[in-house]
């Protein structure tokens, strides 16, 4: 009997980047330490601080249970009562586990505004390390258009009506830029934007007649008439 062929080896699957562990989250003491003269507590009443602390604890419980989407929503509620750096920090941890690098990066930025005072020193260092990792998944775009009334969209979402400019962070990859105005040819671009790239694009719109160019065979107007006259003369000479 013919030998049984050996099975083809499977291609190795990429290992997903693990999210941060729940043990890295900031605790209750981050919201309770310090006095009322803390710069991140100015203008925040005691009632709002207490409400934020209740929701912060609930979010931490959900984060411990791996309920990252629910924890993210709870932390957002806490931030409406008190935009404390520790809440931004824990929200960023939840968003990393939800594969939301842009949102996580922005919340880590807000978490480190006051240094390690509202956080433990190790939390501050973790935030900076995670930001370096997240930057490899993020690019920056700047799209502009000066044609009044033109609608500019990025990835199918309208971002402004010209004239204007839109800047944002986006995930690396291919993105679609569209500029559209009635009577003008729609401008569509779909470039690939790499890690850390600062991509700039100016969307220009033109009418059909602006894109049509007419060329004469001779630059001088008299040339075709001279050629015609010479041909006629030769024809008459031939007849004669």
């Amino acid at each position: 009997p013919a030998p049984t062929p050996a099975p083809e080896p499977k291609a190795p699957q990429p290992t997903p980047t693990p999210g941060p562990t729940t043990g890295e989250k900031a605790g209750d003491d981050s919201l309770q330490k310090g006095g009322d003269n803390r710069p991140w507590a100015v203008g925040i009443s005691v009632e709002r601080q207490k409400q934020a602390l209740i929701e912060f604890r609930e979010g931490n419980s959900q984060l411990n249970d791996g309920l990252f989407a629910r924890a993210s929503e709870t932390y957002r509620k806490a931030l409406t009562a008190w935009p404390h750096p520790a809440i931004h920090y824990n929200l960023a941890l939840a968003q990393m586990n939800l594969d939301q690098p842009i949102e996580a990066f922005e919340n880590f930025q807000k978490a480190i505004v006051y240094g390690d005072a509202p956080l433990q020193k190790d939390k501050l260092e973790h935030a900076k390390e995670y930001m370096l990792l997240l930057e490899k998944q993020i690019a920056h775009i700047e799209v502009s258009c000066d044609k009044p009334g033109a609608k500019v969209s990025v990835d199918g979402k309208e971002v402004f009506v010209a004239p204007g400019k839109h800047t944002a962070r986006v995930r690396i990859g291919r993105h679609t830029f569209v500029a559209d105005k009635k009577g003008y040819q729609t401008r569509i671009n779909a470039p690939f934007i790499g890690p850390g790239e600062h991509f700039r694009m100016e969307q220009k719109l033109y009418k059909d007649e602006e894109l049509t160019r007419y060329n004469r065979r001779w630059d001088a107007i008299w040339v075709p008439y001279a050629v015609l006259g010479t041909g006629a003369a030769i024809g008459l000479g031939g007849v004669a």
Side-chain angles (χ1 to χ4, degrees), residues 53-82:
L53 181 57
I54 292 172
E55 292 169 342
F56 182 67
R57 287 171 175 167
E58 182 181 354
N60 287 349
S61 178
Q62 294 166 343
L63 189 65
N64 287 338
D65 293 338
L67 305 175
F68 303 118
R70 290 178 61 183
S72 179
E73 183 179 351
T74 303
Y75 288 137
R76 287 195 187 96
K77 291 181 181 177
L79 285 172
T80 60
W82 188 8

PDB file of all heavy atoms in Angstrom, residues 53-82:
ATOM      1  N   LEU A  53     -16.211  58.141  43.728  1.00  0.00           N
ATOM      2  CA  LEU A  53     -15.560  57.038  44.425  1.00  0.00           C
ATOM      3  C   LEU A  53     -16.434  55.780  44.396  1.00  0.00           C
ATOM      4  O   LEU A  53     -15.924  54.664  44.201  1.00  0.00           O
ATOM      5  CB  LEU A  53     -15.266  57.431  45.874  1.00  0.00           C
ATOM      6  CG  LEU A  53     -14.562  56.379  46.745  1.00  0.00           C
ATOM      7  CD1 LEU A  53     -13.238  55.959  46.125  1.00  0.00           C
ATOM      8  CD2 LEU A  53     -14.358  56.908  48.157  1.00  0.00           C
ATOM      9  N   ILE A  54     -17.756  55.944  44.556  1.00  0.00           N
ATOM     10  CA  ILE A  54     -18.665  54.801  44.497  1.00  0.00           C
ATOM     11  C   ILE A  54     -18.598  54.124  43.122  1.00  0.00           C
ATOM     12  O   ILE A  54     -18.466  52.897  43.008  1.00  0.00           O
ATOM     13  CB  ILE A  54     -20.104  55.247  44.802  1.00  0.00           C
ATOM     14  CG1 ILE A  54     -20.221  55.686  46.264  1.00  0.00           C
ATOM     15  CG2 ILE A  54     -21.088  54.123  44.512  1.00  0.00           C
ATOM     16  CD1 ILE A  54     -21.566  56.321  46.603  1.00  0.00           C
ATOM     17  N   GLU A  55     -18.673  54.925  42.073  1.00  0.00           N
ATOM     18  CA  GLU A  55     -18.629  54.371  40.718  1.00  0.00           C
ATOM     19  C   GLU A  55     -17.246  53.827  40.386  1.00  0.00           C
ATOM     20  O   GLU A  55     -17.114  52.838  39.658  1.00  0.00           O
ATOM     21  CB  GLU A  55     -19.060  55.440  39.722  1.00  0.00           C
ATOM     22  CG  GLU A  55     -20.534  55.801  39.864  1.00  0.00           C
ATOM     23  CD  GLU A  55     -20.931  57.023  39.073  1.00  0.00           C
ATOM     24  OE1 GLU A  55     -20.019  57.793  38.694  1.00  0.00           O
ATOM     25  OE2 GLU A  55     -22.140  57.234  38.861  1.00  0.00           O
ATOM     26  N   PHE A  56     -16.205  54.464  40.936  1.00  0.00           N
ATOM     27  CA  PHE A  56     -14.838  53.993  40.733  1.00  0.00           C
ATOM     28  C   PHE A  56     -14.671  52.587  41.312  1.00  0.00           C
ATOM     29  O   PHE A  56     -14.087  51.697  40.678  1.00  0.00           O
ATOM     30  CB  PHE A  56     -13.868  54.978  41.390  1.00  0.00           C
ATOM     31  CG  PHE A  56     -12.408  54.638  41.221  1.00  0.00           C
ATOM     32  CD1 PHE A  56     -11.802  54.682  39.978  1.00  0.00           C
ATOM     33  CD2 PHE A  56     -11.630  54.279  42.319  1.00  0.00           C
ATOM     34  CE1 PHE A  56     -10.450  54.387  39.825  1.00  0.00           C
ATOM     35  CE2 PHE A  56     -10.286  53.989  42.180  1.00  0.00           C
ATOM     36  CZ  PHE A  56      -9.705  54.040  40.929  1.00  0.00           C
ATOM     37  N   ARG A  57     -15.192  52.371  42.510  1.00  0.00           N
ATOM     38  CA  ARG A  57     -15.115  51.045  43.140  1.00  0.00           C
ATOM     39  C   ARG A  57     -15.899  50.006  42.336  1.00  0.00           C
ATOM     40  O   ARG A  57     -15.436  48.868  42.174  1.00  0.00           O
ATOM     41  CB  ARG A  57     -15.650  51.126  44.567  1.00  0.00           C
ATOM     42  CG  ARG A  57     -14.729  51.841  45.537  1.00  0.00           C
ATOM     43  CD  ARG A  57     -15.413  52.083  46.876  1.00  0.00           C
ATOM     44  NE  ARG A  57     -14.480  52.664  47.857  1.00  0.00           N
ATOM     45  CZ  ARG A  57     -14.872  53.202  49.008  1.00  0.00           C
ATOM     46  NH1 ARG A  57     -16.168  53.246  49.324  1.00  0.00           N
ATOM     47  NH2 ARG A  57     -13.975  53.695  49.832  1.00  0.00           N
ATOM     48  N   GLU A  58     -17.053  50.407  41.824  1.00  0.00           N
ATOM     49  CA  GLU A  58     -17.848  49.484  41.011  1.00  0.00           C
ATOM     50  C   GLU A  58     -17.099  49.115  39.730  1.00  0.00           C
ATOM     51  O   GLU A  58     -17.081  47.952  39.311  1.00  0.00           O
ATOM     52  CB  GLU A  58     -19.191  50.117  40.666  1.00  0.00           C
ATOM     53  CG  GLU A  58     -20.100  49.201  39.860  1.00  0.00           C
ATOM     54  CD  GLU A  58     -21.419  49.859  39.505  1.00  0.00           C
ATOM     55  OE1 GLU A  58     -21.669  50.985  39.993  1.00  0.00           O
ATOM     56  OE2 GLU A  58     -22.194  49.252  38.744  1.00  0.00           O
ATOM     57  N   GLY A  59     -16.466  50.117  39.119  1.00  0.00           N
ATOM     58  CA  GLY A  59     -15.678  49.851  37.910  1.00  0.00           C
ATOM     59  C   GLY A  59     -14.509  48.925  38.191  1.00  0.00           C
ATOM     60  O   GLY A  59     -14.200  48.035  37.389  1.00  0.00           O
ATOM     61  N   ASN A  60     -13.860  49.108  39.344  1.00  0.00           N
ATOM     62  CA  ASN A  60     -12.742  48.234  39.703  1.00  0.00           C
ATOM     63  C   ASN A  60     -13.206  46.794  39.881  1.00  0.00           C
ATOM     64  O   ASN A  60     -12.518  45.842  39.495  1.00  0.00           O
ATOM     65  CB  ASN A  60     -12.079  48.736  40.990  1.00  0.00           C
ATOM     66  CG  ASN A  60     -11.278  50.003  40.771  1.00  0.00           C
ATOM     67  OD1 ASN A  60     -11.049  50.406  39.631  1.00  0.00           O
ATOM     68  ND2 ASN A  60     -10.851  50.638  41.854  1.00  0.00           N
ATOM     69  N   SER A  61     -14.384  46.608  40.471  1.00  0.00           N
ATOM     70  CA  SER A  61     -14.936  45.270  40.650  1.00  0.00           C
ATOM     71  C   SER A  61     -15.210  44.616  39.292  1.00  0.00           C
ATOM     72  O   SER A  61     -14.917  43.430  39.080  1.00  0.00           O
ATOM     73  CB  SER A  61     -16.208  45.338  41.485  1.00  0.00           C
ATOM     74  OG  SER A  61     -16.791  44.061  41.626  1.00  0.00           O
ATOM     75  N   GLN A  62     -15.766  45.374  38.383  1.00  0.00           N
ATOM     76  CA  GLN A  62     -16.040  44.851  37.043  1.00  0.00           C
ATOM     77  C   GLN A  62     -14.750  44.552  36.299  1.00  0.00           C
ATOM     78  O   GLN A  62     -14.665  43.558  35.553  1.00  0.00           O
ATOM     79  CB  GLN A  62     -16.892  45.859  36.277  1.00  0.00           C
ATOM     80  CG  GLN A  62     -18.287  46.030  36.859  1.00  0.00           C
ATOM     81  CD  GLN A  62     -18.998  47.259  36.317  1.00  0.00           C
ATOM     82  OE1 GLN A  62     -18.366  48.164  35.745  1.00  0.00           O
ATOM     83  NE2 GLN A  62     -20.315  47.317  36.505  1.00  0.00           N
ATOM     84  N   LEU A  63     -13.737  45.387  36.504  1.00  0.00           N
ATOM     85  CA  LEU A  63     -12.448  45.149  35.862  1.00  0.00           C
ATOM     86  C   LEU A  63     -11.825  43.858  36.383  1.00  0.00           C
ATOM     87  O   LEU A  63     -11.255  43.067  35.614  1.00  0.00           O
ATOM     88  CB  LEU A  63     -11.515  46.338  36.117  1.00  0.00           C
ATOM     89  CG  LEU A  63     -10.191  46.363  35.349  1.00  0.00           C
ATOM     90  CD1 LEU A  63     -10.447  46.503  33.858  1.00  0.00           C
ATOM     91  CD2 LEU A  63      -9.293  47.498  35.832  1.00  0.00           C
ATOM     92  N   ASN A  64     -11.934  43.621  37.686  1.00  0.00           N
ATOM     93  CA  ASN A  64     -11.405  42.384  38.274  1.00  0.00           C
ATOM     94  C   ASN A  64     -12.089  41.143  37.700  1.00  0.00           C
ATOM     95  O   ASN A  64     -11.463  40.090  37.538  1.00  0.00           O
ATOM     96  CB  ASN A  64     -11.587  42.400  39.792  1.00  0.00           C
ATOM     97  CG  ASN A  64     -10.641  43.362  40.485  1.00  0.00           C
ATOM     98  OD1 ASN A  64      -9.596  43.718  39.945  1.00  0.00           O
ATOM     99  ND2 ASN A  64     -11.013  43.807  41.671  1.00  0.00           N
ATOM    100  N   ASP A  65     -13.389  41.272  37.372  1.00  0.00           N
ATOM    101  CA  ASP A  65     -14.155  40.142  36.848  1.00  0.00           C
ATOM    102  C   ASP A  65     -14.005  39.977  35.340  1.00  0.00           C
ATOM    103  O   ASP A  65     -14.637  39.090  34.751  1.00  0.00           O
ATOM    104  CB  ASP A  65     -15.642  40.318  37.193  1.00  0.00           C
ATOM    105  CG  ASP A  65     -15.894  40.223  38.703  1.00  0.00           C
ATOM    106  OD1 ASP A  65     -15.050  39.630  39.403  1.00  0.00           O
ATOM    107  OD2 ASP A  65     -16.916  40.767  39.158  1.00  0.00           O
ATOM    108  N   GLY A  66     -13.181  40.832  34.713  1.00  0.00           N
ATOM    109  CA  GLY A  66     -12.991  40.743  33.267  1.00  0.00           C
ATOM    110  C   GLY A  66     -14.120  41.328  32.454  1.00  0.00           C
ATOM    111  O   GLY A  66     -14.212  41.083  31.251  1.00  0.00           O
ATOM    112  N   LEU A  67     -14.988  42.109  33.072  1.00  0.00           N
ATOM    113  CA  LEU A  67     -16.097  42.760  32.366  1.00  0.00           C
ATOM    114  C   LEU A  67     -15.624  44.124  31.882  1.00  0.00           C
ATOM    115  O   LEU A  67     -16.019  45.176  32.393  1.00  0.00           O
ATOM    116  CB  LEU A  67     -17.308  42.895  33.300  1.00  0.00           C
ATOM    117  CG  LEU A  67     -17.800  41.586  33.938  1.00  0.00           C
ATOM    118  CD1 LEU A  67     -18.926  41.863  34.939  1.00  0.00           C
ATOM    119  CD2 LEU A  67     -18.259  40.607  32.866  1.00  0.00           C
ATOM    120  N   PHE A  68     -14.772  44.105  30.897  1.00  0.00           N
ATOM    121  CA  PHE A  68     -14.070  45.322  30.488  1.00  0.00           C
ATOM    122  C   PHE A  68     -15.004  46.368  29.877  1.00  0.00           C
ATOM    123  O   PHE A  68     -14.844  47.562  30.109  1.00  0.00           O
ATOM    124  CB  PHE A  68     -12.959  44.965  29.508  1.00  0.00           C
ATOM    125  CG  PHE A  68     -11.976  43.965  30.048  1.00  0.00           C
ATOM    126  CD1 PHE A  68     -11.805  42.733  29.440  1.00  0.00           C
ATOM    127  CD2 PHE A  68     -11.249  44.245  31.189  1.00  0.00           C
ATOM    128  CE1 PHE A  68     -10.899  41.813  29.937  1.00  0.00           C
ATOM    129  CE2 PHE A  68     -10.348  43.327  31.711  1.00  0.00           C
ATOM    130  CZ  PHE A  68     -10.180  42.102  31.081  1.00  0.00           C
ATOM    131  N   ALA A  69     -15.975  45.941  29.081  1.00  0.00           N
ATOM    132  CA  ALA A  69     -16.907  46.903  28.479  1.00  0.00           C
ATOM    133  C   ALA A  69     -17.746  47.588  29.551  1.00  0.00           C
ATOM    134  O   ALA A  69     -17.953  48.806  29.513  1.00  0.00           O
ATOM    135  CB  ALA A  69     -17.798  46.200  27.459  1.00  0.00           C
ATOM    136  N   ARG A  70     -18.241  46.823  30.527  1.00  0.00           N
ATOM    137  CA  ARG A  70     -19.045  47.412  31.603  1.00  0.00           C
ATOM    138  C   ARG A  70     -18.181  48.308  32.494  1.00  0.00           C
ATOM    139  O   ARG A  70     -18.621  49.372  32.930  1.00  0.00           O
ATOM    140  CB  ARG A  70     -19.690  46.300  32.424  1.00  0.00           C
ATOM    141  CG  ARG A  70     -20.786  45.548  31.671  1.00  0.00           C
ATOM    142  CD  ARG A  70     -21.383  44.426  32.498  1.00  0.00           C
ATOM    143  NE  ARG A  70     -21.993  44.917  33.722  1.00  0.00           N
ATOM    144  CZ  ARG A  70     -22.537  44.126  34.653  1.00  0.00           C
ATOM    145  NH1 ARG A  70     -22.522  42.809  34.485  1.00  0.00           N
ATOM    146  NH2 ARG A  70     -23.090  44.651  35.736  1.00  0.00           N
ATOM    147  N   ALA A  71     -16.944  47.871  32.756  1.00  0.00           N
ATOM    148  CA  ALA A  71     -16.036  48.695  33.558  1.00  0.00           C
ATOM    149  C   ALA A  71     -15.748  50.014  32.854  1.00  0.00           C
ATOM    150  O   ALA A  71     -15.721  51.079  33.479  1.00  0.00           O
ATOM    151  CB  ALA A  71     -14.743  47.940  33.826  1.00  0.00           C
ATOM    152  N   SER A  72     -15.554  49.950  31.535  1.00  0.00           N
ATOM    153  CA  SER A  72     -15.293  51.160  30.766  1.00  0.00           C
ATOM    154  C   SER A  72     -16.450  52.143  30.879  1.00  0.00           C
ATOM    155  O   SER A  72     -16.249  53.351  31.077  1.00  0.00           O
ATOM    156  CB  SER A  72     -15.055  50.788  29.290  1.00  0.00           C
ATOM    157  OG  SER A  72     -14.827  51.940  28.516  1.00  0.00           O
ATOM    158  N   GLU A  73     -17.675  51.632  30.785  1.00  0.00           N
ATOM    159  CA  GLU A  73     -18.849  52.499  30.901  1.00  0.00           C
ATOM    160  C   GLU A  73     -18.958  53.095  32.307  1.00  0.00           C
ATOM    161  O   GLU A  73     -19.300  54.271  32.473  1.00  0.00           O
ATOM    162  CB  GLU A  73     -20.107  51.692  30.571  1.00  0.00           C
ATOM    163  CG  GLU A  73     -21.385  52.503  30.596  1.00  0.00           C
ATOM    164  CD  GLU A  73     -22.602  51.676  30.241  1.00  0.00           C
ATOM    165  OE1 GLU A  73     -22.423  50.516  29.805  1.00  0.00           O
ATOM    166  OE2 GLU A  73     -23.725  52.180  30.404  1.00  0.00           O
ATOM    167  N   THR A  74     -18.663  52.293  33.325  1.00  0.00           N
ATOM    168  CA  THR A  74     -18.759  52.773  34.708  1.00  0.00           C
ATOM    169  C   THR A  74     -17.707  53.841  34.985  1.00  0.00           C
ATOM    170  O   THR A  74     -17.995  54.850  35.652  1.00  0.00           O
ATOM    171  CB  THR A  74     -18.581  51.606  35.690  1.00  0.00           C
ATOM    172  OG1 THR A  74     -19.559  50.599  35.406  1.00  0.00           O
ATOM    173  CG2 THR A  74     -18.763  52.071  37.126  1.00  0.00           C
ATOM    174  N   TYR A  75     -16.508  53.652  34.496  1.00  0.00           N
ATOM    175  CA  TYR A  75     -15.457  54.659  34.692  1.00  0.00           C
ATOM    176  C   TYR A  75     -15.826  55.975  34.017  1.00  0.00           C
ATOM    177  O   TYR A  75     -15.532  57.053  34.540  1.00  0.00           O
ATOM    178  CB  TYR A  75     -14.124  54.151  34.145  1.00  0.00           C
ATOM    179  CG  TYR A  75     -13.478  53.061  34.967  1.00  0.00           C
ATOM    180  CD1 TYR A  75     -12.906  51.949  34.348  1.00  0.00           C
ATOM    181  CD2 TYR A  75     -13.412  53.147  36.359  1.00  0.00           C
ATOM    182  CE1 TYR A  75     -12.298  50.949  35.094  1.00  0.00           C
ATOM    183  CE2 TYR A  75     -12.816  52.149  37.112  1.00  0.00           C
ATOM    184  CZ  TYR A  75     -12.262  51.047  36.477  1.00  0.00           C
ATOM    185  OH  TYR A  75     -11.649  50.052  37.222  1.00  0.00           O
ATOM    186  N   ARG A  76     -16.486  55.902  32.872  1.00  0.00           N
ATOM    187  CA  ARG A  76     -16.904  57.135  32.196  1.00  0.00           C
ATOM    188  C   ARG A  76     -17.917  57.899  33.046  1.00  0.00           C
ATOM    189  O   ARG A  76     -17.900  59.130  33.083  1.00  0.00           O
ATOM    190  CB  ARG A  76     -17.492  56.812  30.821  1.00  0.00           C
ATOM    191  CG  ARG A  76     -16.462  56.385  29.782  1.00  0.00           C
ATOM    192  CD  ARG A  76     -17.057  56.443  28.378  1.00  0.00           C
ATOM    193  NE  ARG A  76     -16.144  55.897  27.398  1.00  0.00           N
ATOM    194  CZ  ARG A  76     -16.181  54.643  26.952  1.00  0.00           C
ATOM    195  NH1 ARG A  76     -17.085  53.806  27.439  1.00  0.00           N
ATOM    196  NH2 ARG A  76     -15.333  54.222  26.059  1.00  0.00           N
ATOM    197  N   LYS A  77     -18.810  57.166  33.684  1.00  0.00           N
ATOM    198  CA  LYS A  77     -19.758  57.822  34.581  1.00  0.00           C
ATOM    199  C   LYS A  77     -19.031  58.492  35.748  1.00  0.00           C
ATOM    200  O   LYS A  77     -19.382  59.603  36.154  1.00  0.00           O
ATOM    201  CB  LYS A  77     -20.765  56.795  35.111  1.00  0.00           C
ATOM    202  CG  LYS A  77     -21.734  56.274  34.071  1.00  0.00           C
ATOM    203  CD  LYS A  77     -22.703  55.276  34.698  1.00  0.00           C
ATOM    204  CE  LYS A  77     -23.675  54.727  33.653  1.00  0.00           C
ATOM    205  NZ  LYS A  77     -24.585  53.703  34.251  1.00  0.00           N
ATOM    206  N   ALA A  78     -18.032  57.819  36.274  1.00  0.00           N
ATOM    207  CA  ALA A  78     -17.263  58.396  37.375  1.00  0.00           C
ATOM    208  C   ALA A  78     -16.546  59.668  36.930  1.00  0.00           C
ATOM    209  O   ALA A  78     -16.443  60.641  37.688  1.00  0.00           O
ATOM    210  CB  ALA A  78     -16.260  57.369  37.900  1.00  0.00           C
ATOM    211  N   LEU A  79     -16.084  59.686  35.704  1.00  0.00           N
ATOM    212  CA  LEU A  79     -15.358  60.859  35.200  1.00  0.00           C
ATOM    213  C   LEU A  79     -16.279  62.067  35.049  1.00  0.00           C
ATOM    214  O   LEU A  79     -15.818  63.206  35.148  1.00  0.00           O
ATOM    215  CB  LEU A  79     -14.707  60.535  33.853  1.00  0.00           C
ATOM    216  CG  LEU A  79     -13.464  59.647  33.912  1.00  0.00           C
ATOM    217  CD1 LEU A  79     -13.034  59.231  32.509  1.00  0.00           C
ATOM    218  CD2 LEU A  79     -12.308  60.371  34.615  1.00  0.00           C
ATOM    219  N   THR A  80     -17.568  61.836  34.789  1.00  0.00           N
ATOM    220  CA  THR A  80     -18.482  62.980  34.693  1.00  0.00           C
ATOM    221  C   THR A  80     -18.640  63.661  36.048  1.00  0.00           C
ATOM    222  O   THR A  80     -18.924  64.860  36.108  1.00  0.00           O
ATOM    223  CB  THR A  80     -19.864  62.523  34.187  1.00  0.00           C
ATOM    224  OG1 THR A  80     -20.418  61.570  35.105  1.00  0.00           O
ATOM    225  CG2 THR A  80     -19.758  61.891  32.811  1.00  0.00           C
ATOM    226  N   ALA A  81     -18.449  62.898  37.132  1.00  0.00           N
ATOM    227  CA  ALA A  81     -18.517  63.497  38.473  1.00  0.00           C
ATOM    228  C   ALA A  81     -17.183  64.088  38.878  1.00  0.00           C
ATOM    229  O   ALA A  81     -17.122  65.136  39.526  1.00  0.00           O
ATOM    230  CB  ALA A  81     -18.958  62.438  39.495  1.00  0.00           C
ATOM    231  N   TRP A  82     -16.090  63.416  38.483  1.00  0.00           N
ATOM    232  CA  TRP A  82     -14.760  63.868  38.906  1.00  0.00           C
ATOM    233  C   TRP A  82     -13.720  63.342  37.926  1.00  0.00           C
ATOM    234  O   TRP A  82     -13.414  62.151  37.922  1.00  0.00           O
ATOM    235  CB  TRP A  82     -14.463  63.354  40.319  1.00  0.00           C
ATOM    236  CG  TRP A  82     -13.207  63.912  40.941  1.00  0.00           C
ATOM    237  CD1 TRP A  82     -12.421  64.914  40.462  1.00  0.00           C
ATOM    238  CD2 TRP A  82     -12.609  63.485  42.163  1.00  0.00           C
ATOM    239  NE1 TRP A  82     -11.369  65.150  41.301  1.00  0.00           N
ATOM    240  CE2 TRP A  82     -11.461  64.294  42.361  1.00  0.00           C
ATOM    241  CE3 TRP A  82     -12.930  62.503  43.114  1.00  0.00           C
ATOM    242  CZ2 TRP A  82     -10.612  64.133  43.462  1.00  0.00           C
ATOM    243  CZ3 TRP A  82     -12.101  62.359  44.212  1.00  0.00           C
ATOM    244  CH2 TRP A  82     -10.958  63.157  44.387  1.00  0.00           C
TER     245      TRP A  82
END
